[in-house]
């Protein structure tokens, strides 16, 4: 029974298997975004505009760490997926254990670093003085719980690598509901303000992480292997890191871009920041289907290359375009027709005209370009799943450079609108570079297991 998910990805029709594998990831990631957005909605309505701006200022920083965790998990799990596709279950287990240990250590170090430097970073980003204390308080509590957030996202990536994308979905639904309940209690009843929202998030993430670890250990026990499973292998660690670093870069581009451009937004005042924060939260929600389909493409590619079926990867890639275009059309309709009630969940139109107008302008503009991010995501997914990382990483860095350069250099001259014009420019450049490299076919020759064959047969 443990092999059924694997068989779906390497034997079923590519369009069907890719879509139904991606669907729980999409739903799960939507709940992840609701989970993250709950703090903004609740403090914005129960505390006020400055509290919303404080959480928004913190969000750009915390999202960088979330994407490091997601990117690291996806990158490291490529090796796990390829071992699963090849049927090497002992090595697959070693891969899972190796990266759980590695990221436990890494996340603890990041938590200490983030706790120490976040006040300095917020000042460098020109965070308005009236919201700085709340933003610092939110982040310091958040970093205490950072290892739990890392653990949960690494575990989720391993579930997806094993073809069990429904498990993270159920856990996210549970933790999202728990986070909202705790938010309402701590912010609304206990009047803890922004700090209460941060504490609620840490508790919910911690409980979800522990439950995830227990379920994964039980799932791994269903794969029968001969011989001792090594808990940490340095060769797997080195191979996985080579893929994880570009994956971290790719997953972090949006959040790092938001962080580095936030200083440009901050100069327009806390009301503009509140509106921009609301708009970027909605953007994060809308891009979920695009990012999730790209991540599914990565696992699909890794498993099929591990099974020696590169033509299925091409078929899946063509099918992924249809999925992305379908979601893109839906998101255009949502952003143009329903922006008012959606934005009103964050800021009241009458009470904060500047915030509402800023959020509306950003969300309605960016709604036309989500498909470009999707095209980039599925193309990057193939390169990441194959371990073909050099051009893929370069494309994502160019994406980031375009976004930051245009925001920092042009918005002071031509206005805040230049900050969001840069976003589709970066996405399009990234996609074109990755697509041209995909066309070379080099990715088909980058199977990560080719250097592991001898080890697997020992």
């Amino acid at each position: 029974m443990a092999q059924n998910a694997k068989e779906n990805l390497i034997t079923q029709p590519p369009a069907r298997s890719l879509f139904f594998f991606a669907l729980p990831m999409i739903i799960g990631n939507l709940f992840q975004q609701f989970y993250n957005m709950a703090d903004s909605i609740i403090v914005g309505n129960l505390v006020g505009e400055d509290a919303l701006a404080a959480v928004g200022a913190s969000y750009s920083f915390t999202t960088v760490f979330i994407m490091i965790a997601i990117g690291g998990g996806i990158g490291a799990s490529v090796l796990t997926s390829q071992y699963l596709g090849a049927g090497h279950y002992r090595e697959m287990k070693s891969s899972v254990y190796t990266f759980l240990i590695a990221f436990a250590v890494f996340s603890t170090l990041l938590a200490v670093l983030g706790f120490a430097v976040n006040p300095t970073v917020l000042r460098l980003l020109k965070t308005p003085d009236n919201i700085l204390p709340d933003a610092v308080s939110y982040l310091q509590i958040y970093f205490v719980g950072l290892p739990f957030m890392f653990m949960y996202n690494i575990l989720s990536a391993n579930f997806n690598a094993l073809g069990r994308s429904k498990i993270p979905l159920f856990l996210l639904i549970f933790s999202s509901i728990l986070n909202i309940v705790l938010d309402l209690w701590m912010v609304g009843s206990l009047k803890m303000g922004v700090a209460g929202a941060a504490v609620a998030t840490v508790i919910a993430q911690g409980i979800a992480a522990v439950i995830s670890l227990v379920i994964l250990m039980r799932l791994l026990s269903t794969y029968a292997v001969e011989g001792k499973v090594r808990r940490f292998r340095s060769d797997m660690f080195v191979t996985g890191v080579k893929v994880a670093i570009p994956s971290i870069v790719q997953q972090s581009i949006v959040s790092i871009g938001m962080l580095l451009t936030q200083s440009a937004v901050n100069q327009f005042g806390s009301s503009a920041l509140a509106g921009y924060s609301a708009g970027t939260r909605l953007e994060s929600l809308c891009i979920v289907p695009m990012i999730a389909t790209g991540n599914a493409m990565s696992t699909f590619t890794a498993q099929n290359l591990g099974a020696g079926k590169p033509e299925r990867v091409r078929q899946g890639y063509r099918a992924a375009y249809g999925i992305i275009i379908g979601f893109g059309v839906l998101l255009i309709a949502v952003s143009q027709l329903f922006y008012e009630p959606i934005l009103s969940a964050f800021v009241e139109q009458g009470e904060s005209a500047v915030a509402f107008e800023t959020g509306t302008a950003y969300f309605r503009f960016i709604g036309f370009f989500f498909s470009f991010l999707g095209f980039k995501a599925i193309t990057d997914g193939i390169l990441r799943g194959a371990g073909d990382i050099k051009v893929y990483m370069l494309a994502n860095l160019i994406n980031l450079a375009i976004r930051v350069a245009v925001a920092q250099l042009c918005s002071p001259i031509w206005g805040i609108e230049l900050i969001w014009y840069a976003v589709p420019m970066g996405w399009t450049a990234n996609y074109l570079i990755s697509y041209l490299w995909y066309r070379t076919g080099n990715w088909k020759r980058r199977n990560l297991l080719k250097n592991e064959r001898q080890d697997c047969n020992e």
Side-chain angles (χ1 to χ4, degrees):
M1 186 170 178
Q3 287 84 19
N4 287 346
K6 166 198 164 185
E7 295 299 324
N8 286 337
L9 288 179
I10 66 175
T11 62
Q12 296 298 313
R16 175 183 173 83
S17 59
L18 183 62
F19 177 77
F20 283 103
F21 179 66
L23 188 58
M25 296 172 67
I26 292 170
I27 299 172
N29 287 341
L30 285 173
F31 272 94
Q32 177 77 64
Q33 292 303 322
F34 288 135
Y35 185 105
N36 295 332
M37 288 167 56
D39 292 347
S40 292
I41 294 174
I42 291 171
V43 300
N45 283 276
L46 298 183
V47 184
E49 180 185 305
D50 283 353
L52 172 61
V55 174
S58 306
Y59 175 71
S60 296
F61 196 22
T62 60
T63 303
V64 173
F65 290 87
I66 292 171
M67 292 305 171
I68 289 174
I70 294 174
I74 292 170
S77 65
V78 166
L79 191 58
T80 300
S81 292
Q82 291 196 6
Y83 278 128
L84 178 65
H88 298 149
Y89 301 130
R90 179 161 61 95
E91 288 72 20
M92 178 196 74
K93 288 187 176 185
S94 288
S95 175
V96 172
Y97 295 142
T98 294
F99 290 101
L100 283 177
I101 293 170
F103 279 102
V105 174
F106 180 57
S107 64
T108 301
L109 295 175
L110 277 182
V112 173
L113 177 64
F115 188 91
V117 306
N118 81 82
T120 302
V121 171
L122 288 171
R123 290 188 183 95
L124 289 174
L125 292 173
K126 303 174 184 177
T127 303
D129 291 338
N130 60 313
I131 65 171
L132 183 60
D134 276 346
V136 170
S137 175
Y138 184 92
L139 283 174
Q140 289 188 331
I141 296 169
Y142 178 87
F143 281 116
V144 170
L146 187 70
F148 291 113
M149 183 273 290
F150 254 81
M151 181 189 296
Y152 174 77
N153 282 285
I154 299 303
L155 291 167
S156 293
N158 277 299
F159 285 128
N160 291 332
L162 297 174
R164 299 303 186 94
S165 58
K166 291 182 180 179
I167 295 176
L169 167 61
F170 296 141
L171 288 168
L172 269 172
I173 293 173
F174 163 74
S175 61
S176 297
I177 294 172
L178 177 61
N179 184 46
I180 292 171
V181 171
L182 291 173
D183 267 338
L184 291 171
W185 179 49
M186 293 183 175
V187 178
S189 300
L190 300 183
K191 306 299 182 183
M192 293 174 63
V194 170
V199 172
T201 297
V202 169
I203 292 174
Q205 287 178 340
I207 293 174
V210 172
I211 295 174
S212 297
L213 182 61
V214 172
I215 294 174
L216 181 64
M217 293 302 102
R218 290 184 178 179
L219 177 59
L220 288 177
S221 68
T222 64
Y223 290 88
V225 299
E226 295 182 1
K228 183 179 180 181
V229 177
R230 292 170 60 184
R231 298 291 177 175
F232 187 87
R233 282 183 51 173
S234 58
D235 57 331
M236 287 185 178
F237 175 73
V238 171
T239 301
V241 165
K242 290 178 180 178
V243 181
I245 290 176
S247 181
I248 289 171
V249 172
Q250 188 267 334
Q251 292 290 319
S252 302
I253 286 301
V254 172
S255 55
I256 292 174
M258 287 167 56
L259 178 65
L260 294 179
T261 58
Q262 186 172 298
S263 61
V265 178
N266 287 341
Q267 67 184 325
F268 293 94
S270 60
S271 292
L273 174 59
Y276 177 75
S277 298
T280 55
R281 286 297 179 100
L282 294 177
E283 175 192 351
S284 298
L285 185 64
C286 290
I287 66 176
V288 160
M290 311 308 183
I291 298 297
T293 304
N295 292 342
M297 193 72 235
S298 179
T299 300
F300 182 87
T301 299
Q303 289 198 17
N304 280 282
L305 287 182
K309 299 182 176 182
E311 185 54 35
R312 278 181 57 82
V313 177
R314 289 187 181 277
Q315 294 170 3
Y317 182 52
R318 290 193 291 269
Y321 272 95
I323 296 172
I324 293 298
I325 291 171
F327 282 123
V329 172
L330 176 62
L331 290 173
I332 289 174
V334 169
S335 64
Q336 304 309 306
L337 300 177
F338 304 106
Y339 63 91
E340 285 193 10
I342 296 174
L343 278 165
S344 295
F346 294 88
V347 289
E348 291 294 335
Q349 185 173 2
E351 295 180 4
S352 183
V354 172
F356 193 86
E357 289 171 7
T358 301
T360 296
Y362 180 75
F363 184 53
R364 295 194 72 189
F365 172 82
I366 205 66
F368 287 104
F369 299 98
F370 290 131
S371 291
F372 289 83
L373 174 64
F375 300 152
K376 156 192 143 42
I378 59 175
T379 310
D380 284 349
I382 286 185
L383 302 183
R384 183 173 62 243
D388 191 6
I389 58 178
K390 291 181 180 179
V391 174
Y392 149 77
M393 184 164 64
L394 175 64
N396 280 275
L397 290 173
I398 290 173
N399 174 6
L400 177 62
I402 290 172
R403 294 186 60 178
V404 174
V406 173
Q408 293 287 349
L409 298 178
C410 299
S411 65
I413 302 172
W414 289 291
I416 194 172
E417 292 81 4
L418 268 295
I419 293 172
W420 43 86
Y421 291 171
V423 176
M425 292 169 59
W427 289 345
T428 302
N430 189 157
Y431 166 62
L432 291 175
I433 294 169
S434 294
Y435 178 75
L436 291 173
W437 187 249
Y438 161 80
R439 294 285 296 176
T440 68
N442 184 69
W443 55 273
K444 291 187 291 185
R445 300 183 289 275
R446 297 289 297 179
N447 190 334
L448 294 175
L449 301 191
K450 66 181 181 181
N451 295 322
E452 302 280 349
R453 300 294 186 191
Q454 184 175 354
D455 292 336
C456 292
N457 293 324
E458 288 178 352

